[in-house]
Amino acid sequence: MPNPFENGYQPKEIEAHWQGYWKEHQTFRVNENSEKPKYYCLEMFPYPSGRIHMGHVRVYAIGDLIARFKTMRGFALLHPMGWDAFGLPAENAAIKQKVPPAEWTLKNIAAMRAQLGKLGLSYDWDREVTTCLPDYYRWNQWLFIKMFERGLAYQKEGTVNWCPSCETVLANEQVIDGECWRCSSQVVQKRLNQWFLKITDYAEELLSSAETLTGWPERVLLMQKNWIGKSSGLEVHFPLDDRPNESLTIFTTRPDTLLGVTFLCIAPEHPLLLPLIAGKDQENAVLSFIEKIKQQDKTVSTSLTVEKEGLFTGAYAIHPLTHEKIPIFTANFVLMEYGTGIIMAVPAHDQRDFEFATKYNLPIRLVIQNKAQSLVLPLSEAFVESDGVLVSSNIFTGLDPDAAKKAICRYVEKEGLGQEKIYYRLRDWGISRQRYWGTPIPMIYCETCGVVPVPLSNLPVLLPSDIPFSGKGVSPLLQSPSFIKVDCPKCQKPARRETDTMDTFFDSSWYFLRYVSPHETGNPFDPNQAAKWLPVTQYIGGIEHAILHLLYARFFTKVIADLGLTQIREPFLNLLTQGMVIKDNAKMSKSKGNVVDPDHLINEYGADTTRVFSLFAAPPEKDLVWSDEGVQGASRFLTRVCKMVYEQVPPACSSQEPVRGEVVINASSGTKAIYRMTQRTIKRVTEDTEKFCFNTAISGLMEFYNFLSHEIGNRSVEEKDDLTYQRVLRDAMEKLVVLISPFAPHLGEALWAHLGHLPSISQISWPVYDPAWTESETVEVVVQVNGKIKTKFIEAAGTDEEVLKKTALSDPKVITAIGNLPIKKIFVIKSQLINIVV
RNA sequence: GCCGGAGUGGCGGAAUAGGCAGACGCAAGGGACUUAAAAUCCCUCGCGCUUAGGCGCGUGCCGGUUCGAUUCCGGCCUCCGGCACCA
């Protein structure tokens, strides 16, 4: 075992030694038979890009601290690691470097596993999960077929987001400001036949059960809530004027404005538009308008800044309440994908309708008057608020809008003119990708039998390796005849395989379940083990997954529960979203050229220093500003602790009795102070770490070190001979080492061994403090006159209020400040402050 | 536009059931040790004035509640994030 301070603090040697020890002794292997309460600590698994970056260091340092802390606090830990190993970069590498994606990926995994090893992370590597291996992705296929059987996976032709650079489809969640989330290319719209997962079936539950996620950051829940976008309203049928048996159905969230309708608008791509214009004078004009809108880029045409335009269709509808003739328009601002694709336009009370009506000179009818009764036509903008009173609204006149909503809904439903309805903004999740390096979608197209799933017993559908990677043209799997050709499982006639692969977010939507039994062969996971470990107690990852991964994982968890494999309906009990690593005012990234290489840091300062710095520099959920000097500060701290424990630790005492309050009760005040400080530090570090305030926990450790170092420095030789002092000081140092160990685990082990204990420090119990000794013996009392500080004095803790008052009033500075003004009142805050009001 | 979050020294950040603003660290300045440098150790460190005892100001801005406000309330400003023609 290396001597931790023979030649100064030598992190390299210490760390290599203890990493070897942990590996050899399987220190972090999950104990399946433990009676302790379970704790599942999970960090989002990385994409194996080849090298770890500071963002990885940060998230894994946080996760590892929590795992080690919770282990010492008496929990049985599941703390696994794996690889989100499918994805486009592997394919790009194949095109550029002519390396097969599998080879490239597995090489990267090996390199990154070694890097994580050098950080000393406490994973059970026996549970490693790699999504690109058949023993994992076969269960993607299995889950897909189960979803297909339940109608949760279905095919539809539709307009999809297409990234021309990645040459693949993107989910709505993967389009950021009209750009590809991965490569920032402009996304275009394309019509394709695609596989979708029916996440919308779970919209309501995703919304309502989010309320139970009290361990999640509020803002993540809010983002998901907005993304799901529930709105309740009313559908109303408007019969056509020339075909009274047919009608157009609109959706509105403002039924109170139903009497203010002056026209209807239908989306240009709506299938009902063509029969509407057939044979009308306007037919040709409308057709060319439809063509024009089709040509437009969707992300541009749906932007708010585009001017509203539209056209009269020549057709009229009949208002179901007033029986007036209402002209029907088609307009670019009406979305086909939301609601019924047809809206009722109320220009007086909707800004978009107002702009349209103003532009085309359409009538505006005021049906809600504001509180001040000050609205008069013509309006300068729509009155959209919901406080006021209904006017010109037939039998509903005089009601306030809220009451009117209810009354009109009731009336419409009773008369059979429509029904109340809820719509969601959330769309189904398109998972087809025209790429190679992903899970093959296990479907077969047969001319006789149609779309047939691969029988479960034939899984996995393996990715073929006879693919030329040109980087051009069609889906790579189309170029593998051996893959495409298959016999129909039903009729045995020649058929053709689906050549699209799955979105890699499919892989990561359930990997946390695979960890509970990663070698299971009969099921995606062992339901008994899942029942034992799930839900994940603490999940840690970046805020960038607030919607994408976290929503998909919640959806999968509900589907898997409905398949009867688990009882849980939410996967992650507590969520910590850590901030980014920033340097020179920008997120660290290769493209910005501001990266700090973790390998270099570990070589230069050691893993412990790197970890302590990243935990100390900022609270976990905030961005961390990189500072080279800050790393040196962390290094200095660990060096000092190492030096002190190595050089100053008193010899072990023969007494077996642990150091408790009774031991120090008659000791010198200095010895008592050390004991008090030890108790106080245990309390502080425990509480701060529980609250995930790692930066202040480390501050507490630093203060403890500073205190001990001064104590030792100020002690005379005779005092150092005192046996109680030695016992208490040794106990303090032992506690310091134990408390520091989850933050700087290698140093913890080294010093623990130096103190004469057997490894591993990671397996010992977290210290408990004595509450009677966490408070200081004396307190400093602040004296204010009229809220301004005049003086301070030291008093024994718990001194009587009257005594405090007397002491304060007899202070010369206070007497001067009061002068001969009469005292009105004296506020005394126990053991803290006295405020004399004159 | 709508919905969130945040504004504290030169910097990262502490402190809020209302009670000493700036813990801890970094940087900076001074000193000790050293032939010298690095490392290490000690001291100073919000701003302004000062007769060296103090005095005034200070947590984005303006107001309010209070003996007392970084903390609570009202109104603004700025920055960051999410959504965005969702009817």
Side-chain angles (χ1 to χ4, degrees):
Chain A
M1 186 181 322
N3 181 331
F5 209 72
E6 199 161 38
N7 305 303
Y9 171 44
Q10 299 290 331
K12 246 188 187 170
E13 289 162 37
I14 294 175
E15 291 173 4
H17 176 269
W18 289 103
Q19 283 162 17
Y21 177 92
W22 295 330
K23 195 172 181 184
E24 188 185 329
H25 293 82
Q26 301 193 319
T27 309
F28 304 115
R29 191 162 188 175
V30 174
N31 179 356
E32 309 234 11
N33 305 315
S34 176
E35 296 292 303
K36 293 173 180 174
K38 70 97 184 176
Y39 194 100
Y40 185 175
C41 179
L42 184 66
E43 301 108 59
M44 290 179 186
F45 65 167
Y47 176 78
S49 56
R51 301 200 58 76
I52 62 167
H53 53 67
M54 286 312 296
H56 291 128
V57 171
R58 190 176 190 202
V59 64
Y60 301 131
I62 292 169
D64 199 54
L65 167 58
I66 294 171
R68 287 173 180 270
F69 176 68
K70 291 294 176 182
T71 303
M72 295 173 84
R73 295 278 277 168
F75 290 92
L77 260 285
L78 174 57
H79 187 217
M81 178 46 76
W83 310 97
D84 189 10
F86 272 136
L88 206 44
E91 232 166 307
N92 292 337
I95 295 162
K96 272 198 196 133
Q97 302 162 30
K98 309 283 173 213
V99 194
E103 192 182 307
W104 184 87
T105 304
L106 295 177
K107 195 188 81 208
N108 285 348
I109 288 174
M112 289 175 77
R113 193 193 294 115
Q115 283 189 300
L116 293 183
K118 282 174 91 179
L119 274 171
L121 303 170
S122 63
Y123 298 121
D124 180 353
W125 283 106
D126 286 347
R127 291 175 182 254
E128 186 176 4
V129 161
T130 305
T131 60
C132 67
L133 298 179
D135 72 347
Y136 185 84
Y137 72 70
R138 71 173 292 183
W139 301 112
N140 281 344
Q141 295 169 340
W142 188 92
L143 285 166
F144 181 88
I145 291 167
K146 291 286 175 190
M147 290 190 199
F148 175 76
E149 288 167 356
R150 302 191 141 232
L152 290 171
Y154 67 96
Q155 234 177 349
K156 92 179 164 193
E157 171 159 323
T159 312
V160 293
N161 308 300
W162 177 264
C163 172
S165 162
C166 300
E167 294 189 324
T168 190
V169 166
L170 299 172
N172 290 329
E173 288 83 354
Q174 292 166 331
V175 181
I176 316 290
D177 293 333
E179 294 176 354
C180 172
W181 68 294
R182 197 189 292 111
C183 69
S184 296
S185 308
Q186 270 294 326
V187 170
V188 298
Q189 301 300 306
K190 222 174 161 170
R191 284 193 79 80
L192 277 175
N193 202 22
Q194 296 283 293
W195 286 98
F196 286 84
L197 299 186
K198 233 175 178 190
I199 191 170
T200 52
D201 267 14
Y202 288 83
E204 186 56 44
E205 197 197 337
L206 286 166
L207 210 52
S208 61
S209 75
E211 314 247 326
T212 66
L213 298 175
T214 50
W216 282 42
E218 196 61 36
R219 62 173 174 152
V220 173
L221 294 173
L222 244 143
M223 279 163 73
Q224 293 208 354
K225 189 179 168 184
N226 291 339
W227 186 261
I228 296 166
K230 177 178 181 173
S231 31
S232 328
L234 182 67
E235 277 186 359
V236 185
H237 312 303
F238 282 68
L240 294 177
D241 180 43
D242 50 0
R243 280 174 281 163
N245 295 331
E246 294 172 36
S247 64
L248 295 182
T249 303
I250 62 91
F251 174 68
T252 179
T253 54
R254 290 293 303 272
D256 49 321
T257 64
L258 183 57
L259 280 294
V261 172
T262 54
F263 58 101
L264 301 186
C265 270
I266 181 165
E269 62 270 50
H270 203 294
L272 289 178
L273 178 54
L274 295 178
L276 226 48
I277 55 171
K280 299 249 167 35
D281 294 346
Q282 288 83 353
E283 185 170 4
N284 284 334
V286 172
L287 284 174
S288 62
F289 178 74
I290 295 171
E291 206 43 48
K292 181 180 148 197
I293 297 291
K294 256 191 198 161
Q295 296 302 317
Q296 277 176 3
D297 189 333
K298 182 90 176 273
T299 53
V300 175
S301 63
T302 56
S303 129
L304 236 174
T305 50
V306 167
E307 195 175 341
K308 301 189 179 8
E309 60 179 323
L311 219 52
F312 179 47
T313 59
Y316 289 89
I318 300 298
H319 193 294
L321 271 67
T322 65
H323 309 295
E324 282 170 287
K325 259 174 92 169
I326 306 282
I328 302 168
F329 282 70
T330 181
N332 62 345
F333 70 95
V334 182
L335 304 174
M336 182 61 219
E337 310 86 69
Y338 188 74
T340 61
I342 309 169
I343 61 158
M344 66 176 204
V346 186
H349 305 292
D350 182 288
Q351 189 57 27
R352 294 158 302 187
D353 302 347
F354 180 84
E355 284 168 28
F356 193 85
T358 308
K359 180 170 176 182
Y360 294 105
N361 224 351
L362 298 164
I364 296 174
R365 179 176 300 170
L366 189 73
V367 287
I368 298 177
Q369 181 55 263
N370 67 10
K371 283 252 166 67
Q373 302 275 315
S374 61
L375 294 175
V376 279
L377 294 173
L379 300 169
S380 59
E381 59 177 0
F383 175 69
V384 296
E385 273 99 282
S386 256
D387 58 340
V389 61
L390 266 74
V391 293
S392 319
S393 294
N394 208 330
I395 55 168
F396 306 106
T397 301
L399 292 176
D400 68 76
D402 279 339
K405 268 180 197 168
K406 287 181 193 138
I408 291 174
C409 285
R410 216 173 331 150
Y411 181 85
V412 165
E413 289 204 321
K414 198 183 83 200
E415 299 293 319
L417 308 172
Q419 59 282 318
E420 289 192 69
K421 181 99 180 185
I422 290 167
Y423 276 98
Y424 299 90
R425 217 194 64 119
L426 184 71
R427 304 289 141 79
D428 278 341
W429 172 17
I431 57 146
S432 296
R433 296 291 179 272
Q434 293 67 45
R435 305 302 316 180
Y436 166 76
W437 195 231
T439 306
I441 294 174
M443 287 293 166
I444 292 167
Y445 299 99
C446 170
E447 285 195 2
T448 318
C449 311
V451 183
V452 183
V454 173
L456 292 179
S457 55
N458 290 359
L459 295 183
V461 176
L462 289 171
L463 270 174
S465 50
D466 57 340
I467 302 285
F469 288 100
S470 62
K472 281 282 144 264
V474 285
S475 183
L477 287 181
L478 275 173
Q479 302 169 59
S480 169
S482 65
F483 178 80
I484 298 173
K485 279 188 196 158
V486 67
D487 290 340
C488 171
K490 270 194 190 162
C491 68
Q492 315 308 324
K493 283 185 206 151
R496 152 180 89 78
R497 278 194 200 280
E498 169 66 83
T499 54
D500 283 352
T501 53
M502 296 182 196
D503 183 2
T504 57
F505 278 92
F506 196 108
D507 315 348
S508 54
S509 294
W510 68 279
Y511 75 109
F512 47 91
L513 282 158
R514 184 69 183 167
Y515 283 132
V516 305
S517 54
H519 310 297
E520 169 75 30
T521 51
N523 271 307
F525 54 89
D526 175 354
N528 293 322
Q529 289 294 317
K532 177 176 163 186
W533 289 107
L534 270 284
V536 172
T537 320
Q538 182 64 54
Y539 199 31
I540 307 145
I543 185 75
E544 66 272 19
H545 291 293
I547 293 170
L548 282 160
H549 163 61
L550 290 168
L551 191 64
Y552 295 151
R554 293 183 60 217
F555 162 54
F556 263 55
T557 302
K558 293 171 194 305
V559 172
I560 288 168
D562 288 342
L563 291 173
L565 292 170
T566 63
Q567 301 291 314
I568 53 144
R569 301 196 71 84
E570 284 292 343
F572 313 124
L573 201 57
N574 297 294
L575 175 69
L576 174 64
T577 49
Q578 102 279 0
M580 294 183 294
V581 181
I582 301 280
K583 197 184 173 213
D584 310 325
N585 286 319
K587 180 180 176 172
M588 264 193 197
S589 73
K590 248 187 233 163
S591 56
K592 301 232 173 61
N594 60 350
V595 288
V596 172
D597 181 19
D599 262 6
H600 167 76
L601 274 176
I602 294 166
N603 282 330
E604 179 101 15
Y605 298 99
D608 283 341
T609 293
T610 307
R611 293 165 62 137
V612 166
F613 169 74
S614 70
L615 293 165
F616 177 62
E621 65 284 354
K622 280 189 74 171
D623 286 349
L624 185 156
V625 179
W626 183 259
S627 140
D628 292 326
E629 295 81 10
V631 182
Q632 286 177 34
S635 174
R636 236 171 270 163
F637 168 59
L638 294 183
T639 305
R640 287 193 276 237
V641 170
C642 187
K643 184 173 156 76
M644 179 180 79
V645 174
Y646 189 66
E647 292 177 355
Q648 304 286 341
V649 65
C653 176
S654 56
S655 169
Q656 296 295 308
E657 198 189 336
V659 178
R660 282 202 298 260
E662 306 89 78
V663 176
V664 293
I665 198 92
N666 295 315
S668 70
S669 65
T671 301
K672 270 191 203 165
I674 296 174
Y675 185 71
R676 281 184 195 282
M677 185 63 181
T678 307
Q679 302 310 304
R680 200 149 33 146
T681 302
I682 297 170
K683 179 177 198 285
R684 178 168 172 191
V685 174
T686 308
E687 288 175 356
D688 285 0
T689 309
E690 281 289 356
K691 284 188 295 182
F692 297 165
C693 296
F694 309 130
N695 54 334
T696 53
I698 293 172
S699 295
L701 291 168
M702 287 172 168
E703 283 177 52
F704 190 33
Y705 163 81
N706 289 343
F707 174 88
L708 290 178
S709 141
H710 281 111
E711 267 302 318
I712 294 165
N714 294 338
R715 211 114 302 243
S716 69
V717 179
E718 301 82 65
E719 283 172 312
K720 283 186 178 169
D721 283 340
D722 178 73
L723 222 61
T724 310
Y725 166 78
Q726 289 187 4
R727 283 184 61 194
V728 171
L729 181 62
R730 187 186 172 86
D731 175 66
M733 288 196 190
E734 296 215 343
K735 294 297 189 291
L736 173 64
V737 170
V738 173
L739 295 179
I740 219 169
S741 71
F743 297 88
H746 309 85
L747 181 64
E749 293 278 19
L751 294 176
W752 191 239
H754 176 70
L755 288 165
H757 299 286
L758 291 173
S760 158
I761 195 171
S762 65
Q763 305 302 313
I764 70 152
S765 291
W766 189 256
V768 178
Y769 61 87
D770 180 349
W773 289 82
T774 53
E775 294 307 321
S776 169
E777 224 166 349
T778 56
V779 288
E780 193 179 41
V781 180
V782 176
V783 185
Q784 297 179 329
V785 176
N786 285 346
K788 300 221 176 225
I789 296 159
K790 290 299 163 192
T791 189
K792 299 173 183 182
F793 59 88
I794 307 286
E795 195 60 79
T799 303
D800 187 75
E801 274 191 25
E802 288 307 313
V803 179
L804 290 180
K805 272 191 205 174
K806 218 170 269 177
T807 316
L809 287 170
S810 60
D811 188 281
K813 282 179 195 159
V814 176
I815 291 170
T816 317
I818 296 173
N820 42 21
L821 296 163
I823 295 171
K824 280 191 192 154
K825 189 152 187 190
I826 302 179
F827 292 85
V828 182
I829 309 299
K830 212 154 190 212
S831 306
Q832 270 185 41
L833 176 139
I834 297 170
N835 189 10
I836 301 160
V837 185
V838 297

